[in-house]
Amino acid sequence: MVNFDKSSIYPFKLKFVTDWIIVIFLIVSSLFSIKFFVSLKKGGNIYYRYFGSFVATFSISNWIAMTFLIKTRKVSLSDVKIAIRNTYIYNYLLLGLCLIGVIWCLYLTRRYLKFTTWWIIVVILPYLLILYQIGITVKGLQTFTTYSDYSPEILKMFVNSNKYGDINLINQTVYYSIAYQIVALILLEGGRIFVYLNKLVKRKNKQKERK
């Protein structure tokens, strides 16, 4: 029987509905990213390039995140140390990807810089949310691991004592980056559908006028 309330700590186990949703989304975003890279040779409007570059950038980061996840709910002392190390590595890698994403988007939409330098702010804006989350995650982890009574052993006991304990939750940035990518993909495809329907309505109105 399918359970809608639970999720694995590693979605590729495909045990629950939420696992399937995440995996399907990762595949869809990857296919879109491939299509986006190919379509760049044909041009594309500013809206498509703006959101498309964001989705493609975070598609890469999300696959990196999947390789960093601890795959078992019950963790060892070594798993705890690896999770903490991977959290730092992932967030710093994501920081670099955000920088690359901004530069890439500015390059793809460079003709708008001729009209106003404010366009730089517009390009940076969607990345600010994830940069803020990176700061919270890294700072929070640094604070947590420097408490006088902190030890990996205590964290291991805390996670293992909880039926639904998940050591991967110390890296909240992963889940926020997936959420932001979903929003960007919805805005992108929603915008394209709107443009298509708008053209369709105008075409039908012209046909009626001719009659």
Side-chain angles (χ1 to χ4, degrees), residues 44-92:
N45 60 41
I46 184 70
Y47 185 85
Y48 181 68
R49 289 182 168 225
Y50 180 81
F51 283 106
S53 61
F54 183 87
V55 172
T57 299
F58 279 89
S59 181
I60 295 170
S61 76
N62 290 337
W63 280 107
I64 292 174
M66 292 301 109
T67 65
F68 282 169
L69 293 179
I70 300 298
K71 300 174 180 60
T72 57
R73 198 171 289 281
K74 292 293 181 182
V75 295
S76 64
L77 193 60
S78 175
D79 290 331
V80 171
K81 292 177 180 178
I82 289 171
I84 291 172
R85 181 200 66 191
N86 286 351
T87 297
Y88 282 118
I89 293 173
Y90 172 74
N91 278 273
Y92 289 132

Side-chain angles (χ1 to χ4, degrees), residues 139-152:
K139 182 63 179 176
L141 190 57
Q142 287 175 339
T143 302
F144 176 66
T145 54
T146 52
Y147 281 139
S148 58
D149 56 350
Y150 165 79
S151 76

